[in-house]
Amino acid sequence: MLNSDATDHATGNAEIARQFAALGDPIRFAIIDRLAREGEVPAGALSEGFAVSAPAVSRHLGVLHKAGLVQRRVEGQRRLYSVAPESMRRIALWTLSHRAFWQGSLSRLDALIALEEHSDD
Amino acid sequence: MLNSDATDHATGNAEIARQFAALGDPIRFAIIDRLAREGEVPAGALSEGFAVSAPAVSRHLGVLHKAGLVQRRVEGQRRLYSVAPESMRRIALWTLSHRAFWQGSLSRLDALIALEEHSDD
DNA sequence: TCGCTGTTTAACATATTTGTTAATTAACCG
DNA sequence: CGGTTAATTAACAAATATGTTAAACAGCGA
């Protein structure tokens, strides 16, 4: 058991973990997936789309907003939500930093060899 | 409020959401990050690296295993854990499927993305 | 102003998650 | 066999998350 550095090697690991946690709920994941496809969607439309009450969706949106995954824009009485691009980029970057594990159909050993070969990133 | 299809448009959304949930815990995220860098690591070594007890790490590994994110190999009295490549690929593909949201601004990254450009959408 | 629509906050019950320590299982070695 | 190491499972407390309904807030328009 070491200090907290041991659980947080790279910069911003805690933040991306919180973003993954936000994406971990099926409803929130579906919300993000839908926003990424449809662009801006008002809260009310999302409530109709998912099988929980409007207050529940509202709080899910709050969680996503707090995690930095969505942006909110006020237009009249509606709140229009959309995906925050930077957050998606952060997640994509993380997957790319470990791309040796998913590029092609690599075995675990191949992945490690690939990691050795381009150790930059 | 529609039926459950509305919260699960694409195939396997529930599964990837569970994987995000597994990655959402800071310790589990750090475990995955470390396994992706180091390859196979026995449970005991992980326990030493993170600031919680061995049983706690063991259960985190169980969660990761159940979510399909890690593989377990028994060697003598040790259990060697490693990242399951397919799960990483699934997450990477999800980010790529929404790359319109993040590919805009990083030029060094654009080259990497260009390599994947032929694959989907 | 009043009522209507859109959305969030409050209050609360229930379920899940996470951590701890103690006990258990399994393999190794004298 | 008996002791030691490696890891998991059991039992339980505390914290967090999720859903509901009711109330509150805010903008729109007659």
Side-chain angles (χ1 to χ4, degrees):
Chain A
M1 301 156 186
L2 306 175
N3 62 29
S4 61
D5 277 8
T7 58
D8 193 29
H9 316 87
T11 312
N13 267 11
E15 189 178 357
I16 194 173
R18 190 164 52 246
Q19 293 179 334
F20 278 130
L23 286 169
D25 179 272
I27 290 177
R28 287 197 295 266
F29 180 83
I31 287 173
I32 290 290
D33 211 51
R34 180 171 168 187
L35 291 178
R37 277 183 288 103
E38 299 183 16
E40 282 189 324
V41 180
L46 292 172
S47 297
E48 289 167 19
F50 302 113
V52 287
S53 65
V57 170
S58 179
R59 196 162 41 173
H60 279 306
L61 288 168
V63 171
L64 290 170
H65 185 68
K66 200 170 181 180
L69 283 164
V70 302
Q71 298 168 326
R72 178 170 28 199
R73 188 167 71 86
V74 178
E75 192 197 62
Q77 39 198 143
R78 295 203 217 81
R79 270 75 170 171
L80 300 172
Y81 285 88
S82 56
V83 172
E86 327 84 53
S87 64
M88 292 289 269
R89 185 162 57 239
R90 191 188 314 277
I91 292 166
L93 274 173
W94 181 78
T95 70
L96 288 171
S97 76
H98 294 307
R99 66 186 176 280
F101 273 98
W102 55 269
Q103 216 164 36
S105 53
L106 296 172
S107 69
R108 192 171 54 253
L109 183 60
D110 292 335
L112 285 174
I113 290 167
L115 275 176
E116 297 295 330
E117 283 174 354
H118 12 132
S119 53
D120 58 309
D121 280 337
Chain B
M1 302 166 188
L2 306 175
N3 62 28
S4 61
D5 278 5
T7 58
D8 193 28
H9 317 85
T11 312
N13 266 11
E15 190 177 358
I16 194 173
R18 197 173 325 118
Q19 293 179 335
F20 278 130
L23 286 170
D25 179 272
I27 291 179
R28 287 197 295 266
F29 180 82
I31 287 173
I32 290 292
D33 213 50
R34 181 172 167 187
L35 291 179
R37 279 182 288 101
E38 299 183 17
E40 282 188 323
V41 180
L46 292 170
S47 296
E48 288 167 21
F50 301 114
V52 286
S53 65
V57 170
S58 178
R59 196 163 39 175
H60 279 305
L61 288 168
V63 171
L64 290 170
H65 184 69
K66 200 169 179 179
L69 283 164
V70 301
Q71 298 167 325
R72 178 169 28 200
R73 188 167 71 86
V74 178
E75 192 196 63
Q77 37 196 150
R78 293 204 218 79
R79 271 76 171 172
L80 300 171
Y81 285 88
S82 57
V83 172
E86 326 83 56
S87 63
M88 292 290 267
R89 187 167 63 240
R90 182 172 297 117
I91 292 167
L93 286 177
W94 180 77
T95 70
L96 288 170
S97 77
H98 294 307
R99 68 184 176 279
F101 272 98
W102 54 270
Q103 76 177 149
S105 36
L106 289 184
S107 57
R108 193 176 75 89
L109 200 54
D110 287 341
L112 275 172
I113 306 318
L115 292 174
E116 312 294 329
E117 204 69 67
H118 57 281
S119 51
D120 68 313
D121 257 17

